[in-house]
Amino acid sequence: AAVGAALWLLGVSRPRLVAGGIGLAVASAVWLPATRRWTARAHLCWASSVFLFVVYLTFALDWTLTSHLGTASTAGGVLLWLFEVVAALLSCAYLWEICDALGTERWRRRIVPGLVLPAAERDLPMVSLQVPAHNEPPGMVIDTLRALQRLDYPRYEVILIDDNTDDEQLWRPVQEWCGRHGVKFAHLTDWPGYKSGALNYALRQLTDPRAEIIGVVDSDYQIEPGFLRHCASAFSDPWIGFVQCPQDYRGWQQARYYRRLYYSYKYFFAVSQPARNEHDGAIFAGTMGLIRRVALDELGGWDEWCITEDAEISLRLLRAGWHGLAVDHTYGRGIMPLTFEALKGQRYRWCFGGIQILRMHWRSLLPGRKTSGNHLTAAQRWSYLAGGLQWYGDLLGLVFFVFLLAGAANLALGGGELFRKLTTFLVA
């Protein structure tokens, strides 16, 4: 009603106002079955945004084909329109997560703070907590191991795997501390497979045969005592393959750069992960996570070809018919990359690994029926496909920038409109 009144004040004709109102009402009705668990505001945000995308893209294609720009400019305009379609799909992927996380009224699978999963003491499984380290300060690693020894849990072991650290002064103090405090330790030299190779070594050579659950904790994390008691009880469901807690960080309050960096990390575990978890599409994030050992063994362990082996194993688990569970509560805090170079290296690794997963598993993510070799639901396929495609967002922005430069150069040289106007809507 507010938009209609604004358009009326701007002089939009009544037939167009009526057509727009009817179109929005139809869009709202079409999406209502899919958004019935959302608040009215979330539903309206989604339905109106998608309606706007469709109307704009229809208008843009019609304008391009009927404006007689010439063969080359028309072809360029159609190409620009195709990139706009991709941009709309990526935008919808983000918008769905935001509406799902902020607008859901009735959660079916969400494990929120304060909700304790029931399990008797005798039913708690034995856990093997594995800490991979590479060229880390020994004091920081030992602090992590101390925190792990203070966990409130009856049956667990701690394993430290030093992965190809070349400076003996870094790993030797950790080895000596582990020897004095009953922590299993292994130093690997020239071992292949990076982090996943080290975790495979720990799984096959060091893990107690009685351990039912494998936990992965990065060597810079400080863990709360209740981590295992709360999260391991979820495995009382025999089809839960992994449980993932948020990756959280400490020491970020004192500088503006750190604060902005912290909230950029927090977005995934505050918005994306809860939305994905509601449709059983959560990912295993590599630290602060637990994974069922028999499921890991069935799949042959961690894949060493992928540098984001954590997200890759969760996709294979879901495809094999297991389920994942994301927990909202923070049980441990690590250290963020504190320099831009470190941040760039981390984002490069995440992007590279995401594209590796997409290249290897894209066939499994296409729409289709469940099969004996692929148990993924449509929602799970979309979660992982959208997660992989989102890495192309920056590249898409670069493509639009090239179009802007080409059009500006043509105008500066005295030419006419090369493609068509890049509207504020497109820029947004």
Side-chain angles (χ1 to χ4, degrees):
V3 173
L7 293 176
W8 178 76
L9 290 173
L10 290 172
V12 176
S13 65
R14 179 176 293 181
R16 292 193 177 190
L17 279 174
V18 172
I22 293 174
L24 183 57
V26 171
S28 179
V30 167
W31 284 107
L32 197 58
T35 62
R36 61 186 181 276
R37 295 180 298 104
W38 290 358
T39 62
R41 284 183 297 176
H43 165 79
L44 184 60
C45 175
W46 171 258
S48 60
S49 297
V50 174
F51 174 67
L52 186 60
F53 277 133
V54 172
V55 170
Y56 170 76
L57 289 171
T58 303
F59 160 77
L61 182 61
D62 178 72
W63 194 97
T64 300
L65 296 177
T66 59
S67 295
H68 308 293
L69 297 174
T71 303
S73 291
T74 300
V78 171
L79 181 61
L80 174 61
W81 182 83
L82 292 174
F83 284 122
E84 287 179 317
V85 172
V86 177
L89 292 174
L90 291 180
S91 299
C92 286
Y94 281 112
L95 183 62
W96 178 272
E97 290 181 345
I98 293 171
C99 291
D100 213 15
L102 301 182
T104 295
E105 291 183 310
R106 298 187 306 277
W107 294 96
R108 297 168 297 190
R109 305 184 79 246
R110 194 168 187 179
I111 307 299
V112 297
L115 178 62
V116 178
L117 301 173
E121 186 89 5
R122 64 180 181 278
D123 296 330
L124 293 173
M126 181 177 175
V127 180
S128 176
L129 291 174
Q130 301 177 1
V131 184
H134 172 72
N135 286 334
E136 307 290 0
M140 181 188 73
V141 178
I142 291 172
D143 285 345
T144 296
L145 297 175
R146 285 197 182 103
L148 292 178
Q149 289 202 315
R150 294 193 293 265
L151 293 178
D152 175 26
Y153 196 76
R155 294 179 295 278
Y156 73 99
E157 66 173 359
V158 180
I159 302 173
L160 191 287
I161 321 103
D162 183 78
D163 178 26
N164 296 318
T165 296
D166 45 15
D167 186 351
E168 187 173 348
Q169 293 182 355
L170 292 179
W171 64 265
R172 186 67 73 181
V174 179
Q175 181 187 40
E176 294 171 355
W177 188 93
C178 290
R180 294 194 303 269
H181 294 85
V183 174
K184 293 181 181 179
F185 177 91
H187 170 67
L188 305 179
T189 303
D190 295 327
W191 195 260
Y194 303 99
K195 181 180 178 180
S196 51
L199 289 174
N200 277 332
Y201 179 88
L203 176 67
R204 293 159 184 164
Q205 304 296 329
L206 301 175
T207 303
D208 191 306
R210 297 169 296 172
E212 301 174 58
I213 307 299
I214 305 297
V216 181
V217 178
D218 282 353
S219 58
D220 59 339
Y221 266 72
Q222 292 291 298
I223 310 298
E224 294 182 5
F227 167 52
L228 286 183
R229 185 169 290 276
H230 187 134
C231 297
S233 58
F235 289 93
S236 58
D237 181 341
W239 283 104
I240 290 292
F242 67 91
V243 174
Q244 180 63 55
C245 294
Q247 289 184 8
D248 211 338
Y249 300 95
R250 59 187 190 273
W252 53 270
Q253 296 92 341
Q254 69 270 24
R256 290 181 179 179
Y257 170 70
Y258 296 161
R259 290 196 293 271
R260 284 149 179 76
L261 188 60
Y262 175 78
Y263 286 112
S264 75
Y265 285 115
K266 191 174 181 65
Y267 173 88
F268 180 81
F269 287 98
V271 175
S272 299
Q273 190 81 317
R276 295 174 64 146
N277 179 67
E278 190 67 5
H279 307 283
D280 198 11
I283 70 165
F284 190 79
T287 186
M288 298 304 301
L290 305 173
I291 188 166
R292 193 180 293 273
R293 184 180 185 178
V294 66
L296 190 57
D297 286 336
E298 280 181 4
L299 297 177
W302 308 92
D303 266 340
E304 299 181 16
W305 56 265
C306 185
I307 61 175
T308 50
E309 74 292 326
D310 38 24
E312 196 273 342
I313 191 64
S314 58
L315 172 57
R316 288 194 289 138
L317 284 167
L318 296 175
R319 189 174 62 186
W322 298 93
H323 301 289
L325 192 63
V327 177
D328 279 2
H329 185 69
T330 291
Y331 285 98
R333 292 174 172 84
I335 298 175
M336 295 186 301
L338 299 182
T339 66
F340 182 73
E341 285 301 315
L343 172 68
K344 189 168 66 172
Q346 182 192 62
R347 295 298 170 93
Y348 175 83
R349 186 178 70 85
W350 288 353
C351 180
F352 193 97
I355 302 304
Q356 281 185 310
I357 294 172
L358 204 56
R359 287 182 59 193
M360 180 61 70
H361 297 300
W362 65 271
R363 293 178 182 84
S364 302
L365 305 179
L366 296 178
R369 297 180 179 179
K370 291 184 181 181
T371 65
S372 58
N374 186 358
H375 294 268
L376 294 174
T377 64
Q380 290 172 326
R381 296 177 196 223
W382 169 250
S383 293
Y384 277 84
L385 181 61
L389 292 177
Q390 283 172 358
W391 290 111
Y392 288 97
D394 292 332
L395 180 61
L396 194 61
L398 180 61
V399 169
F400 286 135
F401 182 61
V402 171
F403 273 95
L404 280 168
L405 287 180
N410 189 65
L411 288 173
L413 295 174
E417 203 163 38
L418 186 60
F419 308 115
R420 57 181 164 80
K421 293 178 181 178
L422 297 181
T423 65
T424 306
F425 182 85
L426 168 63
V427 175

